[in-house]
Amino acid sequence: MVNPVKYHLGTQNGERLINIEPVYEEIAGGDLFATGRYILSEENAGIGEIRFDGELFEWEWSGSYDLKDENVFMIVKFIREYNEPQLIGYLD
């Protein structure tokens, strides 16, 4: 994932619109490096952060918008399987 994306999360209480924003760091020469961190927010309020380390991930909740474990797993699966629409031609 290169650009922020909006994810429609279906829950028992209805659909929630979750913003997922990848975090990049600038390295030597001005290149950007994917950190494996994704900031989650909803309605302009922070929800938390998902961090990937290979196949493992960590979830840190940091807001008042609680997510159940199964919701976090759905978001993790979405991030892992997401193909940036404008980059699909470059991946073939």
Side-chain angles (χ1 to χ4, degrees):
M1 181 180 301
V2 176
N3 296 304
V5 67
K6 295 185 183 301
Y7 176 64
H8 296 271
L9 175 66
T11 69
Q12 291 180 345
N13 298 327
E15 186 173 275
R16 295 172 66 175
L17 185 61
I18 307 294
N19 299 306
I20 305 171
E21 183 176 348
V23 177
Y24 287 85
E25 290 182 9
E26 190 173 334
I27 56 176
D31 292 332
L32 295 179
F33 171 75
T35 63
R37 294 174 46 218
Y38 297 86
I39 305 297
L40 305 182
S41 61
E42 181 178 33
E43 299 175 2
N44 297 322
I47 297 175
E49 180 178 309
I50 292 177
R51 292 181 298 277
F52 287 95
D53 182 13
E55 286 298 310
L56 302 175
F57 75 92
E58 293 179 22
W59 159 251
E60 182 176 306
W61 176 77
S62 62
S64 59
Y65 294 87
D66 192 19
L67 290 176
K68 295 184 178 184
D69 288 344
E70 59 266 17
N71 299 138
V72 173
F73 291 128
M74 290 170 63
I75 295 170
V76 166
K77 182 178 183 212
F78 173 79
I79 292 171
R80 284 185 174 150
E81 295 176 354
Y82 184 76
N83 288 317
E84 199 82 30
Q86 62 269 32
L87 298 179
I88 289 177
Y90 293 106
L91 299 175
D92 293 336

PDB file of all heavy atoms in Angstrom, residues 2 8 10 13 20 22-23 27 30 33 35 38 45-47 49-50 52 54-57 75 77 79 81-82 88 90:
ATOM      1  N   VAL A   2       0.649   2.102  -0.965  1.00  0.00           N
ATOM      2  CA  VAL A   2       1.438   3.313  -1.104  1.00  0.00           C
ATOM      3  C   VAL A   2       0.668   4.537  -0.620  1.00  0.00           C
ATOM      4  O   VAL A   2       1.201   5.387   0.076  1.00  0.00           O
ATOM      5  CB  VAL A   2       1.859   3.514  -2.575  1.00  0.00           C
ATOM      6  CG1 VAL A   2       2.599   4.815  -2.773  1.00  0.00           C
ATOM      7  CG2 VAL A   2       2.698   2.337  -3.043  1.00  0.00           C
ATOM      8  N   HIS A   8     -14.107  -0.098   4.191  1.00  0.00           N
ATOM      9  CA  HIS A   8     -15.455  -0.253   4.728  1.00  0.00           C
ATOM     10  C   HIS A   8     -15.474  -1.539   5.562  1.00  0.00           C
ATOM     11  O   HIS A   8     -15.451  -2.639   5.018  1.00  0.00           O
ATOM     12  CB  HIS A   8     -16.489  -0.329   3.601  1.00  0.00           C
ATOM     13  CG  HIS A   8     -16.554   0.937   2.815  1.00  0.00           C
ATOM     14  ND1 HIS A   8     -17.394   1.974   3.157  1.00  0.00           N
ATOM     15  CD2 HIS A   8     -15.872   1.371   1.727  1.00  0.00           C
ATOM     16  CE1 HIS A   8     -17.239   2.965   2.307  1.00  0.00           C
ATOM     17  NE2 HIS A   8     -16.311   2.631   1.431  1.00  0.00           N
ATOM     18  N   GLY A  10     -17.349  -4.006   7.944  1.00  0.00           N
ATOM     19  CA  GLY A  10     -18.664  -4.445   8.393  1.00  0.00           C
ATOM     20  C   GLY A  10     -18.574  -5.016   9.797  1.00  0.00           C
ATOM     21  O   GLY A  10     -17.783  -5.917  10.062  1.00  0.00           O
ATOM     22  N   ASN A  13     -22.532  -3.860  14.579  1.00  0.00           N
ATOM     23  CA  ASN A  13     -23.234  -2.598  14.827  1.00  0.00           C
ATOM     24  C   ASN A  13     -23.366  -1.739  13.572  1.00  0.00           C
ATOM     25  O   ASN A  13     -23.724  -0.578  13.669  1.00  0.00           O
ATOM     26  CB  ASN A  13     -22.519  -1.797  15.917  1.00  0.00           C
ATOM     27  CG  ASN A  13     -22.503  -2.534  17.229  1.00  0.00           C
ATOM     28  OD1 ASN A  13     -23.434  -3.257  17.539  1.00  0.00           O
ATOM     29  ND2 ASN A  13     -21.446  -2.361  17.994  1.00  0.00           N
ATOM     30  N   ILE A  20      -6.924   4.048   6.436  1.00  0.00           N
ATOM     31  CA  ILE A  20      -5.654   3.352   6.649  1.00  0.00           C
ATOM     32  C   ILE A  20      -4.576   4.146   5.928  1.00  0.00           C
ATOM     33  O   ILE A  20      -4.642   4.337   4.718  1.00  0.00           O
ATOM     34  CB  ILE A  20      -5.704   1.909   6.096  1.00  0.00           C
ATOM     35  CG1 ILE A  20      -6.882   1.142   6.702  1.00  0.00           C
ATOM     36  CG2 ILE A  20      -4.377   1.198   6.350  1.00  0.00           C
ATOM     37  CD1 ILE A  20      -7.133  -0.204   6.059  1.00  0.00           C
ATOM     38  N   PRO A  22      -0.481   4.387   5.263  1.00  0.00           N
ATOM     39  CA  PRO A  22       0.853   3.815   5.428  1.00  0.00           C
ATOM     40  C   PRO A  22       1.847   4.875   5.883  1.00  0.00           C
ATOM     41  O   PRO A  22       1.711   6.055   5.527  1.00  0.00           O
ATOM     42  CB  PRO A  22       1.200   3.291   4.033  1.00  0.00           C
ATOM     43  CG  PRO A  22       0.356   4.099   3.106  1.00  0.00           C
ATOM     44  CD  PRO A  22      -0.874   4.485   3.862  1.00  0.00           C
ATOM     45  N   VAL A  23       2.834   4.480   6.669  1.00  0.00           N
ATOM     46  CA  VAL A  23       3.853   5.403   7.174  1.00  0.00           C
ATOM     47  C   VAL A  23       5.165   5.121   6.448  1.00  0.00           C
ATOM     48  O   VAL A  23       5.624   3.979   6.405  1.00  0.00           O
ATOM     49  CB  VAL A  23       4.044   5.241   8.701  1.00  0.00           C
ATOM     50  CG1 VAL A  23       5.158   6.144   9.205  1.00  0.00           C
ATOM     51  CG2 VAL A  23       2.738   5.510   9.425  1.00  0.00           C
ATOM     52  N   ILE A  27      14.856   8.211   3.505  1.00  0.00           N
ATOM     53  CA  ILE A  27      16.217   7.710   3.723  1.00  0.00           C
ATOM     54  C   ILE A  27      17.168   8.488   2.814  1.00  0.00           C
ATOM     55  O   ILE A  27      16.742   9.366   2.073  1.00  0.00           O
ATOM     56  CB  ILE A  27      16.314   6.179   3.462  1.00  0.00           C
ATOM     57  CG1 ILE A  27      15.834   5.829   2.052  1.00  0.00           C
ATOM     58  CG2 ILE A  27      15.497   5.426   4.491  1.00  0.00           C
ATOM     59  CD1 ILE A  27      15.997   4.365   1.699  1.00  0.00           C
ATOM     60  N   GLY A  30      16.779  11.004  -0.436  1.00  0.00           N
ATOM     61  CA  GLY A  30      15.395  11.438  -0.558  1.00  0.00           C
ATOM     62  C   GLY A  30      14.413  10.332  -0.888  1.00  0.00           C
ATOM     63  O   GLY A  30      13.236  10.594  -1.099  1.00  0.00           O
ATOM     64  N   PHE A  33      11.053   4.945   2.354  1.00  0.00           N
ATOM     65  CA  PHE A  33      11.153   3.568   2.821  1.00  0.00           C
ATOM     66  C   PHE A  33       9.864   3.198   3.538  1.00  0.00           C
ATOM     67  O   PHE A  33       9.430   3.911   4.450  1.00  0.00           O
ATOM     68  CB  PHE A  33      12.353   3.442   3.774  1.00  0.00           C
ATOM     69  CG  PHE A  33      12.442   2.126   4.475  1.00  0.00           C
ATOM     70  CD1 PHE A  33      12.865   0.997   3.814  1.00  0.00           C
ATOM     71  CD2 PHE A  33      12.088   2.029   5.817  1.00  0.00           C
ATOM     72  CE1 PHE A  33      12.945  -0.223   4.468  1.00  0.00           C
ATOM     73  CE2 PHE A  33      12.155   0.817   6.479  1.00  0.00           C
ATOM     74  CZ  PHE A  33      12.591  -0.318   5.802  1.00  0.00           C
ATOM     75  N   THR A  35       7.751   1.557   6.190  1.00  0.00           N
ATOM     76  CA  THR A  35       8.095   1.151   7.553  1.00  0.00           C
ATOM     77  C   THR A  35       7.339  -0.084   8.026  1.00  0.00           C
ATOM     78  O   THR A  35       7.701  -0.669   9.036  1.00  0.00           O
ATOM     79  CB  THR A  35       7.791   2.294   8.541  1.00  0.00           C
ATOM     80  OG1 THR A  35       6.381   2.551   8.511  1.00  0.00           O
ATOM     81  CG2 THR A  35       8.568   3.548   8.197  1.00  0.00           C
ATOM     82  N   TYR A  38       0.996   1.235   9.822  1.00  0.00           N
ATOM     83  CA  TYR A  38      -0.223   1.775   9.233  1.00  0.00           C
ATOM     84  C   TYR A  38      -1.026   2.438  10.345  1.00  0.00           C
ATOM     85  O   TYR A  38      -1.333   1.805  11.355  1.00  0.00           O
ATOM     86  CB  TYR A  38      -1.058   0.669   8.585  1.00  0.00           C
ATOM     87  CG  TYR A  38      -0.324   0.015   7.447  1.00  0.00           C
ATOM     88  CD1 TYR A  38       0.558  -1.031   7.672  1.00  0.00           C
ATOM     89  CD2 TYR A  38      -0.485   0.470   6.143  1.00  0.00           C
ATOM     90  CE1 TYR A  38       1.256  -1.617   6.630  1.00  0.00           C
ATOM     91  CE2 TYR A  38       0.202  -0.112   5.092  1.00  0.00           C
ATOM     92  CZ  TYR A  38       1.070  -1.153   5.348  1.00  0.00           C
ATOM     93  OH  TYR A  38       1.766  -1.728   4.315  1.00  0.00           O
ATOM     94  N   ALA A  45     -10.544  10.839  14.052  1.00  0.00           N
ATOM     95  CA  ALA A  45     -10.035  10.465  15.377  1.00  0.00           C
ATOM     96  C   ALA A  45      -9.158   9.229  15.231  1.00  0.00           C
ATOM     97  O   ALA A  45      -9.504   8.292  14.507  1.00  0.00           O
ATOM     98  CB  ALA A  45     -11.185  10.183  16.329  1.00  0.00           C
ATOM     99  N   GLY A  46      -8.024   9.228  15.900  1.00  0.00           N
ATOM    100  CA  GLY A  46      -7.120   8.091  15.835  1.00  0.00           C
ATOM    101  C   GLY A  46      -7.712   6.858  16.483  1.00  0.00           C
ATOM    102  O   GLY A  46      -8.339   6.928  17.540  1.00  0.00           O
ATOM    103  N   ILE A  47      -7.523   5.723  15.826  1.00  0.00           N
ATOM    104  CA  ILE A  47      -7.965   4.442  16.383  1.00  0.00           C
ATOM    105  C   ILE A  47      -6.769   3.678  16.927  1.00  0.00           C
ATOM    106  O   ILE A  47      -6.817   3.102  17.997  1.00  0.00           O
ATOM    107  CB  ILE A  47      -8.663   3.579  15.320  1.00  0.00           C
ATOM    108  CG1 ILE A  47      -9.920   4.260  14.819  1.00  0.00           C
ATOM    109  CG2 ILE A  47      -8.995   2.202  15.873  1.00  0.00           C
ATOM    110  CD1 ILE A  47     -10.586   3.529  13.682  1.00  0.00           C
ATOM    111  N   GLU A  49      -2.665   1.792  15.589  1.00  0.00           N
ATOM    112  CA  GLU A  49      -1.627   1.536  14.604  1.00  0.00           C
ATOM    113  C   GLU A  49      -1.406   0.034  14.479  1.00  0.00           C
ATOM    114  O   GLU A  49      -1.412  -0.691  15.474  1.00  0.00           O
ATOM    115  CB  GLU A  49      -0.334   2.205  15.067  1.00  0.00           C
ATOM    116  CG  GLU A  49       0.818   2.022  14.147  1.00  0.00           C
ATOM    117  CD  GLU A  49       2.054   2.753  14.639  1.00  0.00           C
ATOM    118  OE1 GLU A  49       1.967   3.956  14.941  1.00  0.00           O
ATOM    119  OE2 GLU A  49       3.103   2.089  14.736  1.00  0.00           O
ATOM    120  N   ILE A  50      -1.220  -0.407  13.238  1.00  0.00           N
ATOM    121  CA  ILE A  50      -0.853  -1.801  12.962  1.00  0.00           C
ATOM    122  C   ILE A  50       0.574  -1.773  12.450  1.00  0.00           C
ATOM    123  O   ILE A  50       0.910  -0.970  11.579  1.00  0.00           O
ATOM    124  CB  ILE A  50      -1.794  -2.435  11.925  1.00  0.00           C
ATOM    125  CG1 ILE A  50      -3.190  -2.592  12.534  1.00  0.00           C
ATOM    126  CG2 ILE A  50      -1.258  -3.781  11.454  1.00  0.00           C
ATOM    127  CD1 ILE A  50      -4.231  -3.132  11.585  1.00  0.00           C
ATOM    128  N   PHE A  52       3.683  -4.287  10.930  1.00  0.00           N
ATOM    129  CA  PHE A  52       4.035  -5.591  10.378  1.00  0.00           C
ATOM    130  C   PHE A  52       5.530  -5.823  10.513  1.00  0.00           C
ATOM    131  O   PHE A  52       6.329  -4.921  10.303  1.00  0.00           O
ATOM    132  CB  PHE A  52       3.679  -5.668   8.886  1.00  0.00           C
ATOM    133  CG  PHE A  52       2.200  -5.777   8.633  1.00  0.00           C
ATOM    134  CD1 PHE A  52       1.448  -4.650   8.379  1.00  0.00           C
ATOM    135  CD2 PHE A  52       1.572  -7.007   8.638  1.00  0.00           C
ATOM    136  CE1 PHE A  52       0.087  -4.735   8.131  1.00  0.00           C
ATOM    137  CE2 PHE A  52       0.217  -7.112   8.396  1.00  0.00           C
ATOM    138  CZ  PHE A  52      -0.523  -5.978   8.143  1.00  0.00           C
ATOM    139  N   GLY A  54       7.427  -8.869   8.856  1.00  0.00           N
ATOM    140  CA  GLY A  54       7.294 -10.122   8.109  1.00  0.00           C
ATOM    141  C   GLY A  54       5.847 -10.577   8.149  1.00  0.00           C
ATOM    142  O   GLY A  54       4.938  -9.822   7.850  1.00  0.00           O
ATOM    143  N   GLU A  55       5.616 -11.801   8.558  1.00  0.00           N
ATOM    144  CA  GLU A  55       4.260 -12.335   8.649  1.00  0.00           C
ATOM    145  C   GLU A  55       3.583 -11.985   9.973  1.00  0.00           C
ATOM    146  O   GLU A  55       2.389 -12.187  10.135  1.00  0.00           O
ATOM    147  CB  GLU A  55       4.269 -13.858   8.462  1.00  0.00           C
ATOM    148  CG  GLU A  55       4.512 -14.293   7.033  1.00  0.00           C
ATOM    149  CD  GLU A  55       3.413 -13.805   6.089  1.00  0.00           C
ATOM    150  OE1 GLU A  55       2.223 -14.000   6.399  1.00  0.00           O
ATOM    151  OE2 GLU A  55       3.746 -13.215   5.052  1.00  0.00           O
ATOM    152  N   LEU A  56       4.337 -11.478  10.934  1.00  0.00           N
ATOM    153  CA  LEU A  56       3.777 -11.128  12.235  1.00  0.00           C
ATOM    154  C   LEU A  56       3.288  -9.689  12.224  1.00  0.00           C
ATOM    155  O   LEU A  56       3.754  -8.869  11.452  1.00  0.00           O
ATOM    156  CB  LEU A  56       4.845 -11.291  13.324  1.00  0.00           C
ATOM    157  CG  LEU A  56       5.471 -12.672  13.446  1.00  0.00           C
ATOM    158  CD1 LEU A  56       6.589 -12.650  14.476  1.00  0.00           C
ATOM    159  CD2 LEU A  56       4.422 -13.711  13.816  1.00  0.00           C
ATOM    160  N   PHE A  57       2.329  -9.393  13.076  1.00  0.00           N
ATOM    161  CA  PHE A  57       1.862  -8.016  13.191  1.00  0.00           C
ATOM    162  C   PHE A  57       1.552  -7.723  14.647  1.00  0.00           C
ATOM    163  O   PHE A  57       1.322  -8.602  15.453  1.00  0.00           O
ATOM    164  CB  PHE A  57       0.627  -7.764  12.313  1.00  0.00           C
ATOM    165  CG  PHE A  57      -0.642  -8.354  12.852  1.00  0.00           C
ATOM    166  CD1 PHE A  57      -1.478  -7.614  13.665  1.00  0.00           C
ATOM    167  CD2 PHE A  57      -0.991  -9.653  12.551  1.00  0.00           C
ATOM    168  CE1 PHE A  57      -2.647  -8.164  14.170  1.00  0.00           C
ATOM    169  CE2 PHE A  57      -2.157 -10.216  13.050  1.00  0.00           C
ATOM    170  CZ  PHE A  57      -2.986  -9.468  13.864  1.00  0.00           C
ATOM    171  N   ILE A  75      -8.901  -6.138   8.992  1.00  0.00           N
ATOM    172  CA  ILE A  75      -8.106  -5.022   8.473  1.00  0.00           C
ATOM    173  C   ILE A  75      -6.712  -5.497   8.082  1.00  0.00           C
ATOM    174  O   ILE A  75      -6.184  -5.124   7.034  1.00  0.00           O
ATOM    175  CB  ILE A  75      -8.048  -3.866   9.492  1.00  0.00           C
ATOM    176  CG1 ILE A  75      -9.445  -3.272   9.681  1.00  0.00           C
ATOM    177  CG2 ILE A  75      -7.046  -2.800   9.057  1.00  0.00           C
ATOM    178  CD1 ILE A  75      -9.561  -2.297  10.828  1.00  0.00           C
ATOM    179  N   LYS A  77      -5.841  -8.486   7.128  1.00  0.00           N
ATOM    180  CA  LYS A  77      -5.981  -9.266   5.898  1.00  0.00           C
ATOM    181  C   LYS A  77      -6.125  -8.326   4.702  1.00  0.00           C
ATOM    182  O   LYS A  77      -5.508  -8.538   3.653  1.00  0.00           O
ATOM    183  CB  LYS A  77      -7.188 -10.192   5.996  1.00  0.00           C
ATOM    184  CG  LYS A  77      -7.375 -11.062   4.785  1.00  0.00           C
ATOM    185  CD  LYS A  77      -8.558 -11.996   4.942  1.00  0.00           C
ATOM    186  CE  LYS A  77      -8.635 -12.880   3.710  1.00  0.00           C
ATOM    187  NZ  LYS A  77      -9.940 -13.260   3.344  1.00  0.00           N
ATOM    188  N   ILE A  79      -4.994  -5.239   4.370  1.00  0.00           N
ATOM    189  CA  ILE A  79      -3.706  -4.598   4.087  1.00  0.00           C
ATOM    190  C   ILE A  79      -2.778  -5.565   3.368  1.00  0.00           C
ATOM    191  O   ILE A  79      -2.126  -5.205   2.384  1.00  0.00           O
ATOM    192  CB  ILE A  79      -3.053  -4.074   5.390  1.00  0.00           C
ATOM    193  CG1 ILE A  79      -3.869  -2.907   5.956  1.00  0.00           C
ATOM    194  CG2 ILE A  79      -1.607  -3.649   5.137  1.00  0.00           C
ATOM    195  CD1 ILE A  79      -3.432  -2.469   7.345  1.00  0.00           C
ATOM    196  N   GLU A  81      -3.485  -8.089   1.457  1.00  0.00           N
ATOM    197  CA  GLU A  81      -3.949  -8.471   0.126  1.00  0.00           C
ATOM    198  C   GLU A  81      -4.178  -7.280  -0.802  1.00  0.00           C
ATOM    199  O   GLU A  81      -4.443  -7.466  -1.985  1.00  0.00           O
ATOM    200  CB  GLU A  81      -5.247  -9.269   0.245  1.00  0.00           C
ATOM    201  CG  GLU A  81      -5.059 -10.583   0.950  1.00  0.00           C
ATOM    202  CD  GLU A  81      -6.363 -11.342   1.173  1.00  0.00           C
ATOM    203  OE1 GLU A  81      -7.450 -10.790   0.872  1.00  0.00           O
ATOM    204  OE2 GLU A  81      -6.281 -12.488   1.659  1.00  0.00           O
ATOM    205  N   TYR A  82      -4.043  -6.071  -0.295  1.00  0.00           N
ATOM    206  CA  TYR A  82      -4.369  -4.878  -1.073  1.00  0.00           C
ATOM    207  C   TYR A  82      -3.378  -4.661  -2.210  1.00  0.00           C
ATOM    208  O   TYR A  82      -2.166  -4.739  -2.020  1.00  0.00           O
ATOM    209  CB  TYR A  82      -4.372  -3.650  -0.157  1.00  0.00           C
ATOM    210  CG  TYR A  82      -4.803  -2.390  -0.858  1.00  0.00           C
ATOM    211  CD1 TYR A  82      -6.143  -2.160  -1.157  1.00  0.00           C
ATOM    212  CD2 TYR A  82      -3.873  -1.437  -1.238  1.00  0.00           C
ATOM    213  CE1 TYR A  82      -6.551  -1.001  -1.799  1.00  0.00           C
ATOM    214  CE2 TYR A  82      -4.267  -0.270  -1.882  1.00  0.00           C
ATOM    215  CZ  TYR A  82      -5.603  -0.072  -2.163  1.00  0.00           C
ATOM    216  OH  TYR A  82      -6.005   1.079  -2.802  1.00  0.00           O
ATOM    217  N   ILE A  88      -1.095  -1.557 -10.339  1.00  0.00           N
ATOM    218  CA  ILE A  88      -1.311  -2.943 -10.777  1.00  0.00           C
ATOM    219  C   ILE A  88      -0.561  -3.247 -12.058  1.00  0.00           C
ATOM    220  O   ILE A  88       0.049  -4.295 -12.195  1.00  0.00           O
ATOM    221  CB  ILE A  88      -2.823  -3.240 -10.913  1.00  0.00           C
ATOM    222  CG1 ILE A  88      -3.433  -3.299  -9.514  1.00  0.00           C
ATOM    223  CG2 ILE A  88      -3.062  -4.546 -11.651  1.00  0.00           C
ATOM    224  CD1 ILE A  88      -4.912  -3.522  -9.467  1.00  0.00           C
ATOM    225  N   TYR A  90       2.224  -2.135 -13.023  1.00  0.00           N
ATOM    226  CA  TYR A  90       3.666  -2.251 -12.748  1.00  0.00           C
ATOM    227  C   TYR A  90       4.012  -3.555 -12.059  1.00  0.00           C
ATOM    228  O   TYR A  90       5.158  -3.953 -12.041  1.00  0.00           O
ATOM    229  CB  TYR A  90       4.124  -1.086 -11.860  1.00  0.00           C
ATOM    230  CG  TYR A  90       4.058   0.249 -12.546  1.00  0.00           C
ATOM    231  CD1 TYR A  90       3.066   1.160 -12.215  1.00  0.00           C
ATOM    232  CD2 TYR A  90       4.974   0.590 -13.527  1.00  0.00           C
ATOM    233  CE1 TYR A  90       2.992   2.393 -12.847  1.00  0.00           C
ATOM    234  CE2 TYR A  90       4.901   1.813 -14.169  1.00  0.00           C
ATOM    235  CZ  TYR A  90       3.916   2.706 -13.834  1.00  0.00           C
ATOM    236  OH  TYR A  90       3.837   3.914 -14.453  1.00  0.00           O
TER     237      TYR A  90
END
